[in-house]
């Protein structure tokens, strides 16, 4: 445990972290990759270039400093990051590397303001925080490996089927190469795919939500092809999966992880709201609900640019036709002429609160949403404006965690 003097020093740095946090974490990653380039095999290079990883880490460091005297308050964040670390293969031996370079970055960015006393306090605090992560992640590693069909690190899977779902999304059905049992998972969880792409110096690891219900002899991921847009480069892994990974090929997967999961003990209505490829965890939740909770009303709302990029529409409409508990609605930002002729959507433009209120009879429900960050900010703002309690609002970022406020 930290003594009161150390706690007071850490607390005194909170305003500084609020201002300089991202500069510190940006310098941290520069230092760490220069000193340990092998870690470039683990971290998402695109998130580094876009600054998302630096911002996420800055937010985590800020929260740790703010709650240094009550670290149990950030346990949900620790668990969320722990799931990601376990899926990537982060191990206890990585934490001293992080600590050394984080302290070095604090000293570099803050200069003389980072006194020896402050650096020493942060060294002590980092030790406590690192121990919390290591403890949580050790339990996760044990659970992932010890469960029926579980495994440690990465396991070979074969692409059994490759199915194009829309102009931008393709599904991959993956079965274990060894023919043995696979671990179950909670609806909403993801797996990591580890790839060595020809011509690339480093290994790439990406997380993809599982887009089918648990209980099948396969895992299904549904991958959006990320092409280059303006100054945003193309997604190396998604494009390679689309263009070069075919049925019969082998991929390396980590066991399912993630804390964005369907609460199956709650018997209230469920509202699933997605934008674009954010529908993947919602498909897992929807398919699970019709199997396991036939009396639980489900409202499935999806936003897409138009019908050409709307994946799995037929699958959802088939489920709605077979299961009266399911109601499905589509919002198209820019419908095509074919969409208009077929009356293929329920709203044009964007999801807003009045439309949500017209579809959902009672806000006493569990709300889950996922999609691009601007989309999620809109949904979050609408639900709060409606008065939906925070404990009934559940969401997940694709990539490093951010804020919707």
């Amino acid at each position: 445990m930290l003594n009161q003097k150390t706690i007071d020093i850490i607390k005194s740095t909170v305003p500084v972290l609020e201002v300089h946090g991202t500069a510190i974490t940006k310098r941290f990653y520069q230092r760490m990759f220069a000193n340990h380039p092998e870690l470039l095999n683990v971290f998402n290079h695109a998130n580094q270039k876009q600054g998302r990883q630096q911002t996420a880490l800055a937010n985590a460091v800020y929260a740790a400093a703010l709650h240094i005297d009550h670290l149990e308050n950030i346990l949900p964040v620790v668990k969320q990051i722990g799931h990601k670390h376990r899926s990537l293969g982060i191990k206890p031996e990585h934490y001293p590397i992080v600590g050394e370079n984080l302290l070095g970055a604090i000293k570099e960015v803050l200069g003389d303001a980072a006194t020896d006393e402050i650096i020493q306090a942060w060294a002590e605090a980092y030790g406590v925080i690192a121990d919390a992560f290591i403890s949580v992640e050790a339990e996760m590693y044990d659970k992932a490996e010890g469960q029926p069909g579980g495994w440690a690190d990465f396991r070979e899977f074969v692409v059994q089927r490759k199915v194009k779902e829309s102009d931008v999304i393709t599904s991959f059905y993956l079965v274990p190469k060894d023919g043995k049992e696979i671990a179950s998972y909670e609806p909403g969880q993801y797996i990591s795919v580890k790839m060595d792409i020809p011509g690339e110096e480093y290994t790439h690891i990406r997380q993809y939500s599982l887009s089918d219900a648990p209980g099948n002899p396969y895992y299904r991921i549904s991958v959006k092809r990320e092409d280059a847009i303006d100054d945003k480069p193309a997604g190396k892994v998604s494009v390679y999966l689309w263009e070069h990974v075919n049925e019969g090929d082998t991929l390396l997967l980590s066991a399912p992880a993630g804390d964005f999961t369907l609460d199956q003990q709650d018997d209230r209505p469920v509202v699933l709201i997605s934008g674009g490829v954010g529908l993947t965890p919602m498909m897992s939740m929807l398919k699970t609900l019709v199997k396991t909770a036939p009396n639980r009303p489900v409202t499935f709302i999806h936003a897409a640019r138009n019908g050409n990029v709307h994946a799995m529409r037929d699958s959802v409409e088939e489920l709605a036709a077979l299961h009266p508990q399911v109601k499905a609605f589509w919002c198209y930002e820019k419908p095509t002429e074919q969409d208009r002729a077929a009356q293929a959507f329920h709203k044009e433009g964007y999801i807003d609160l009045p439309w949500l209120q017209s579809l959902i009879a009672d806000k006493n429900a569990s709300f889950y949403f996922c999609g691009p960050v601007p989309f999620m900010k809109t949904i979050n703002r609408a639900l709060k404006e409606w008065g939906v309690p925070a404990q009934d609002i559940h969401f997940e970022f694709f990539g490093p965690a951010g804020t919707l406020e």
Side-chain angles (χ1 to χ4, degrees):
M1 298 297 294
L2 298 172
N3 62 44
Q4 191 59 47
K5 181 181 179 182
T6 299
I7 289 171
D8 291 343
I9 293 171
I10 297 299
K11 287 266 192 183
S12 75
T13 65
V14 167
V16 177
L17 292 174
E18 194 169 16
V19 175
H20 300 287
T22 302
I24 290 169
T25 55
K26 182 178 180 180
R27 182 59 190 140
F28 155 73
Y29 282 114
Q30 291 170 346
R31 285 177 54 100
M32 185 172 70
F33 293 142
N35 295 329
H36 295 273
E38 72 278 6
L39 292 179
L40 287 165
N41 289 307
V42 177
F43 286 85
N44 185 317
H45 302 184
N47 289 335
Q48 290 289 324
K49 290 178 181 177
Q50 294 168 24
R52 294 185 65 190
Q53 192 70 57
Q54 293 90 330
T55 301
L57 178 59
N59 290 339
V61 172
Y62 175 80
L66 190 63
H67 298 284
I68 195 66
D69 48 346
H70 295 287
L71 285 175
E72 65 274 10
N73 291 343
I74 65 166
L75 191 57
V77 175
V78 172
K79 288 185 175 179
Q80 182 184 65
I81 297 172
H83 275 286
K84 186 66 68 71
H85 283 178
R86 202 276 298 155
S87 78
L88 291 170
I90 300 295
K91 298 295 174 64
E93 56 265 29
H94 292 127
Y95 280 90
I97 296 172
V98 171
E100 177 186 349
N101 287 284
L102 182 59
L103 293 174
I106 291 173
K107 185 68 177 173
E108 282 189 41
V109 172
L110 300 185
D112 292 340
T115 64
D116 291 344
E117 190 177 48
I118 286 175
I119 294 298
Q120 179 57 38
W122 263 105
E124 292 178 27
Y126 176 79
V128 171
I129 295 166
D131 285 346
F133 274 96
I134 290 168
S135 175
V136 165
E137 289 163 19
E139 291 181 15
M140 291 179 175
Y141 275 105
D142 289 344
K143 183 177 179 181
E145 186 175 2
Q147 66 183 312
W151 68 94
D153 300 319
F154 289 86
R155 180 178 173 187
E156 290 186 323
F157 278 70
V158 176
V159 180
Q160 185 182 58
R161 293 173 61 205
K162 181 179 179 181
V163 179
K164 189 174 181 182
E165 306 282 6
S166 76
D167 285 358
V168 295
I169 295 176
T170 288
S171 288
F172 296 81
Y173 291 74
L174 308 166
V175 296
K177 191 171 184 178
D178 59 18
K180 296 180 180 178
E181 184 181 5
I182 60 173
S184 188
Y185 56 92
E186 295 293 320
Q189 289 192 305
Y190 56 82
I191 49 93
S192 286
V193 178
K194 183 177 183 179
M195 301 191 68
D196 288 309
I197 298 175
E200 290 289 319
E201 183 177 0
Y202 298 104
T203 297
H204 293 270
I205 304 176
R206 295 292 186 274
Q207 286 76 41
Y208 294 105
S209 295
L210 292 155
S211 61
D212 210 335
N216 293 302
Y218 58 81
Y219 294 140
R220 183 177 76 170
I221 58 173
S222 302
V223 179
K224 180 188 176 189
R225 180 185 175 118
E226 298 287 356
D227 289 311
I229 301 175
D230 299 326
D231 59 348
K232 182 181 176 183
K236 291 180 179 178
V237 175
S238 68
V239 171
Y240 189 80
L241 284 166
W242 265 65
E243 294 185 350
H244 300 288
V245 175
N246 297 303
E247 293 175 0
D249 290 342
T250 299
L251 296 176
L252 290 171
L253 308 186
S254 65
D259 66 343
F260 176 64
T261 56
L262 176 68
D263 182 356
Q264 298 186 67
Q265 305 306 312
D266 190 350
D267 59 1
R268 294 177 302 157
V270 184
V271 182
L272 307 175
I273 309 174
S274 54
V277 76
L279 66 76
T280 51
M282 303 307 169
M283 289 301 301
S284 181
M285 294 182 186
L286 175 63
K287 289 195 166 192
T288 299
L289 285 162
V290 298
K291 279 185 177 181
T292 63
N295 296 317
R296 196 173 174 188
V298 183
T299 304
F300 191 99
I301 302 168
H302 182 62
R305 192 164 67 251
N306 55 50
N308 294 336
V309 296
H310 184 176
M312 303 179 193
R313 174 183 177 135
D314 291 346
S315 177
V316 175
E317 291 186 340
E318 286 170 12
L319 288 173
L322 290 170
H323 302 277
Q325 73 185 109
V326 178
K327 306 296 181 188
F329 303 95
W330 318 127
C331 178
Y332 285 179
E333 179 189 350
K334 295 179 180 178
T336 65
E337 291 306 313
Q338 292 91 332
D339 294 332
R340 295 185 191 282
Q343 296 183 314
F345 56 96
H346 303 88
K347 185 181 191 303
E348 182 173 351
Y350 300 99
I351 295 175
D352 55 29
L353 180 55
W355 190 56
L356 289 176
Q357 291 172 322
S358 74
L359 305 180
I360 302 164
D362 187 356
K363 67 180 179 183
N364 181 24
S366 288
F367 292 79
Y368 296 82
F369 58 92
C370 188
V373 172
F375 166 85
M376 293 207 298
K377 286 185 175 181
T378 297
I379 301 303
N380 187 58
R381 185 165 54 247
L383 296 180
K384 287 193 168 185
E385 184 181 334
W386 195 6
V388 177
Q391 64 266 25
D392 291 336
I393 298 175
H394 313 277
F395 56 87
E396 178 172 61
F397 290 91
F398 282 164
T403 178
L404 297 184
E405 301 305 325

